[in-house]
Amino acid sequence: MRSVDLRDGQPFELEHLVLDLNGTLSDHGRLIEGVAERLKLLVDDLALHLLTADTFGSVERLTARLDVTVTTIANGDEKVACVERLGADRVVAIGNGRNDEAMLRRARLGIAILGPEGAATGTLLAADVVCSSIND
């Protein structure tokens, strides 16, 4: 569990980190440099969940060295359902695509990543925080 204290709100506790894969953690089927090391720093504080349509068929290869629960999904509705199952008030979600918009809106803390692909406008508007890279 990780405590978060935002300047304009009440502190809250997070238990789960829900991550999109393509365009967020990876670029064209390859894990972005530095991602694996940063995720390893979080496993003691947060349960890591990776939600992906596995567009490039690379999820097994990319996650072999990561301590994350992988769920293959078909659409954004399944991402929202996962966030709700985990308890949305204790979830931080990170994504970049159109199918991440509702997930970021539903999570207690939504983070949009511009990354190498850019980000969907609705996803940017749904986010509490926008970063130029997952490593930010």
Side-chain angles (χ1 to χ4, degrees), residues 15-78:
E15 290 182 47
H16 301 277
L17 171 57
V18 176
L19 299 152
D20 169 59
L21 178 61
N22 293 318
T24 301
L25 300 182
S26 69
D27 181 21
H28 294 91
R30 295 173 50 197
L31 206 59
I32 294 170
E33 188 175 329
V35 166
E37 296 78 12
R38 283 174 170 78
L39 291 179
K40 286 178 185 177
L41 297 173
L42 297 173
V43 296
D44 290 336
D45 295 330
L46 298 167
L48 306 182
H49 307 269
L50 184 70
L51 307 180
T52 181
D54 198 16
T55 307
F56 292 98
S58 58
V59 71
E60 278 188 39
R61 178 178 48 81
L62 294 179
T63 60
R65 58 188 183 140
L66 303 177
D67 188 9
V68 347
T69 300
V70 177
T71 303
T72 303
I73 54 89
N75 57 52
D77 292 339
E78 291 181 31

Side-chain angles (χ1 to χ4, degrees), residues 68-118:
V68 347
T69 300
V70 177
T71 303
T72 303
I73 54 89
N75 57 52
D77 292 339
E78 291 181 31
K79 290 184 175 189
V80 174
C82 178
V83 166
E84 290 176 348
R85 275 194 308 276
L86 295 171
D89 288 341
R90 296 197 174 272
V91 171
V92 54
I94 303 177
N96 76 318
R98 186 177 18 238
N99 69 346
D100 297 317
E101 177 182 345
M103 173 181 76
L104 298 190
R105 193 176 310 284
R106 184 65 184 103
R108 177 62 177 94
L109 179 61
I111 302 173
I113 303 297
L114 290 170
E117 286 186 2

Side-chain angles (χ1 to χ4, degrees), residues 96 101 104-105 110 112 119-130:
N96 76 318
E101 177 182 345
L104 298 190
R105 193 176 310 284
T121 302
T123 301
L124 292 171
L125 294 172
D128 298 298
V129 176
V130 176

